[in-house]
Amino acid sequence: MTELIKHSAAALAAKLAAREVSAVELTQAHLDRIAAVDGGERGIHAFLHVNTAEALAVAADVDERRARGEELHELAGVPIAVKDLIVTVGQPTTAGSKILEGWHSPYDATVVKKLRAARMPILGKTNLDEFAMGSSTEHSAYGPTRNPWDLDRIPGGSGGGSAAAVASFEAPLALGTDTGGSIRQPGAVTGTVGVKPTYGGVSRYGAIAMASSLDQIGPVSRTVLDSALLHEVIGGHDPFDSTSLTDPATGLVAAARLGNVKGMKIGVVKELGGEGYQAGVEARFADSLEMLRSAGAEIVEVSCPNFDYALGAYYLIMPSEASSNLAKFDGVRYGLRVLPEDGPMTIERVMGSTRAAGFGDEVKRRIILGTYALSAGYYDAYYGSAQKVRTLIQRDFDAAFAQVDVLISPTAPTTAFKLGEKLDDPLAMYLNDVATIPANMAGVPGLSLPSGLADEDGLPAGIQLLAPVRQDARLYRVGAVLETMLEQSWGGPILAKAPALAELAKTTEAK
Ligand code: GLN
């Protein structure tokens, strides 16, 4: 494998600026890597679409502009992958669903416009659980993505494609979306970094909505600084998104470069640990706390008692909103249309046969659940109660942040499980998000970074940092310190320890 693609986005940006490498060479190196490791029977399958010609054209344009001495964005020429839930002109957007197979958006998402303005070549669209519903990417209608650490394991979900692309050096950066953990949990199980910004901090215009009160677009990367760099590209107010903040977080890159925890109070959430958490995940979590303490942070325990009900409330609110958001896939407006085989050709029957054929089991399960929770007789008992629990969770966060600067927990209770292991057990699948969901319920920002390898299986575990609304900079500040100390203890980046990656590297060399 060419060493070039192993560098962080920040290092690649510096090489481009110093003209040690051209944007075309850099983009081509990533396209070559995708060609070598993504396809085939045992390929990573992080990409649903590869955008070769356009990516190279953008790169060539960057090189020309640089040659003319034009002032360029720091990340100009650094390639990126985009989760296929985010709409893009010139490439299909499927949301991982058959119902949108081959569909092209007539407009770009705001975040995509921002990538284009920064002149970042878009390598392609990454795989996901259908409409972002899942924790393993196995619910994609286009087949699962494999975890680069062990090809028989899941890369997390719903954004397994983005995380696996970054972990396998197919892309230095990617965009994800996080409704209940879909950026952070894939980060944890692939040994990468993922950030869910403050709700409203990054425009959701052009992200196909799953649950609008929870959805957030965010960065996926291999380092904390790289996520901060990308976060600053995509963040900011957007008049096209009515939930967009007018004063989103700033100073993210500066915070990642500063990386200092002296005198900071860090709260360990009592409820996010213990029963159901793998011993190796907890052991690496404990090591990280020790490191933060040695760097001068004060570690205290805090209790957020209502977090115990977050998962239950989420699985009422999210399906309710999703059932409404997905009503627009009706066989008339977008994508697939399946006509009934016999009987009258009414609009309802065309809708019914289209949705029956176009949606997968998990999407149907959630539409049924959401429709039920919202139905007149049950609204107060289910949806209404879940909204009250949501308020209690927000109050838990308020009380906790009155005592500490950031909160900390494992990102996911376990390391990557085997493909197929939880596919027939929706409840076991849902439990993966037990630690990530509270942040979405309250709109607070969260960052996941690798905490080390669990002793039982040698697979990466993740650690999650949570900060108050708009205080995203704190995540980068603390995350950068922890990352530096952890990497010192490992003698380099954690991905150097991935056995399947070494195998994949041979594949690239052979080509
Ligand atoms: N895994 C969670 C779910 O299935 C979260 C999904 C997400 O964040 N998009 O709902």
Side-chain angles (χ1 to χ4, degrees), residues 217-236:
I217 293 177
V220 173
S221 65
R222 291 189 292 264
T223 72
V224 170
L225 174 61
D226 283 1
S227 269
L229 286 163
L230 180 54
H231 193 158
E232 286 201 354
V233 173
I234 59 176

Side-chain angles (χ1 to χ4, degrees), residues 79-102:
I80 183 164
V82 174
K83 187 179 185 181
D84 204 21
L85 194 67
I86 299 172
V87 304
T88 43
V89 171
Q91 294 185 69
T93 301
T94 69
S97 181
K98 285 283 171 208
I99 213 161
L100 283 179
E101 189 166 19

Side-chain angles (χ1 to χ4, degrees), residues 132-135 157-158 177-182 210 314-315 318 366 433:
M133 299 179 187
S135 303
S158 64
T177 67
D178 191 312
T179 303
S182 285
M210 177 196 189
Y314 171 85
Y315 276 100
M318 179 275 303
R366 296 196 193 193
D433 308 310

Side-chain angles (χ1 to χ4, degrees), residues 59 135 181 184 226 302 322 366 374 381 414 471 498:
S135 303
R184 290 162 288 158
D226 283 1
V302 298
R366 296 196 193 193
L374 289 178
T414 69
Q471 302 300 328

Side-chain angles (χ1 to χ4, degrees), residues 82-325:
V82 174
K83 187 179 185 181
D84 204 21
L85 194 67
I86 299 172
V87 304
T88 43
V89 171
Q91 294 185 69
T93 301
T94 69
S97 181
K98 285 283 171 208
I99 213 161
L100 283 179
E101 189 166 19
W103 179 72
H104 279 251
S105 168
Y107 69 99
D108 273 329
T110 297
V111 289
V112 170
K113 278 198 193 133
K114 289 184 181 236
L115 299 181
R116 295 196 201 282
R119 305 191 192 285
M120 297 173 70
I122 300 175
L123 294 167
K125 307 292 291 286
T126 58
N127 199 12
L128 68 156
D129 287 293
E130 186 175 2
F131 287 103
M133 299 179 187
S135 303
S136 69
T137 316
E138 292 167 293
H139 293 308
S140 167
Y142 303 98
T145 296
R146 294 177 185 276
N147 189 321
W149 284 79
D150 176 345
L151 299 178
D152 294 315
R153 290 183 190 260
I154 59 101
S158 64
S162 283
V166 167
S168 59
F169 305 101
E170 293 173 282
L173 294 169
L175 288 183
T177 67
D178 191 312
T179 303
S182 285
I183 290 176
R184 290 162 288 158
Q185 180 258 7
V189 301
T190 59
T192 55
V193 176
V195 178
K196 182 198 92 69
T198 295
Y199 182 75
V202 174
S203 167
R204 295 180 299 114
Y205 181 71
I208 296 175
M210 177 196 189
S212 311
S213 75
L214 304 159
D215 296 343
Q216 186 58 61
I217 293 177
V220 173
S221 65
R222 291 189 292 264
T223 72
V224 170
L225 174 61
D226 283 1
S227 269
L229 286 163
L230 180 54
H231 193 158
E232 286 201 354
V233 173
I234 59 176
H237 177 65
D238 178 16
F240 287 120
D241 176 355
S242 61
T243 59
S244 167
L245 296 174
T246 47
D247 55 345
T250 52
L252 311 173
V253 172
R257 292 216 157 101
L258 170 76
N260 175 2
V261 292
K262 269 204 187 72
M264 276 182 104
K265 266 190 156 181
I266 300 180
V268 177
V269 186
K270 195 172 114 207
E271 288 75 11
L272 301 181
E275 203 196 328
Y277 286 75
Q278 195 177 317
V281 170
E282 298 226 89
R284 295 295 80 80
F285 178 64
D287 295 348
S288 298
L289 292 184
E290 219 25 75
M291 286 184 186
L292 287 167
R293 203 174 274 132
S294 73
E298 187 187 341
I299 311 286
V300 299
E301 190 181 84
V302 298
S303 176
C304 296
N306 295 295
F307 283 17
D308 287 344
Y309 310 109
L311 191 76
Y314 171 85
Y315 276 100
L316 287 168
I317 294 170
M318 179 275 303
S320 297
E321 293 186 18
S323 71
S324 161
N325 276 323

